[in-house]
Amino acid sequence: KQSIMKRVPCVALVIENMKGEVLLLLRDDKPTIAFPNCWTLVGGKVEDGETPEMAAHRELQEETGLKADLLFWKRYDRQHPPMIVDQHIYTGKVDASKESLVLGEGQAIQFFKPHDIKQLKIGFEFDLLLKEYFVTRSG
């Protein structure tokens, strides 16, 4: 009998500054977490009673201290055994300096230029997502 993998709604945010750089968060160096020491987009699980949009705003503030107008970009399923992540992606622009960022979780948060992102270890296949984002953005 096939077990149905649980779908877990999650959000991730592509936050851009005025220089066209994208905000990434460096995950903790813990062997117990997925993609330790990898860069990832700001985001997380949608809590009970939250809409994905509410979760996106909450995660942004918790992890970076920022507030932004967020636009829904896309939604897709990401295989993340033993579950399927129902991934909601939001985009936003902020006029924020590195100094105004407040690190709420992980080891670091930093804005990166598109070509610098290619050199980083990115978790959760978000490198593919960012590649697509930069193509659509410049198109």
Side-chain angles (χ1 to χ4, degrees), residues 21-59:
E21 298 169 331
V22 169
L23 189 62
L24 295 177
L25 183 138
L26 182 58
R27 293 172 61 76
D28 286 318
D29 185 12
K30 292 188 190 129
T32 51
I33 63 171
F35 299 102
N37 258 340
C38 286
W39 291 91
T40 181
L41 295 170
V42 170
K45 285 195 178 94
V46 179
E47 307 286 352
D48 291 341
E50 264 185 338
T51 63
E53 187 169 347
M54 286 158 63
H57 284 280
R58 176 182 52 76
E59 290 286 352

Side-chain angles (χ1 to χ4, degrees), residues 85-131:
V85 172
D86 178 9
Q87 186 76 69
H88 299 251
I89 307 291
Y90 289 84
T91 63
K93 279 205 168 34
V94 293
D95 189 358
S97 63
K98 188 172 165 34
E99 294 70 43
S100 63
L101 297 173
V102 181
L103 180 64
E105 126 180 0
Q107 303 181 69
I109 36 179
Q110 196 178 327
F111 285 104
F112 288 97
K113 294 189 182 321
H115 63 260
D116 294 335
I117 290 174
K118 297 187 182 97
Q119 321 300 324
L120 301 173
K121 269 175 39 185
I122 307 273
F124 305 107
E125 293 168 10
F126 285 149
D127 48 342
L128 302 173
L129 183 81
L130 285 165
K131 198 179 282 183

Side-chain angles (χ1 to χ4, degrees), residues 68-88:
D69 290 331
L70 300 175
L71 289 170
F72 175 73
W73 176 33
K74 63 186 291 185
R75 178 179 181 180
Y76 61 94
D77 283 354
R78 182 161 56 74
Q79 303 296 322
H80 189 79
M83 60 188 181
I84 295 172
V85 172
D86 178 9
Q87 186 76 69
H88 299 251

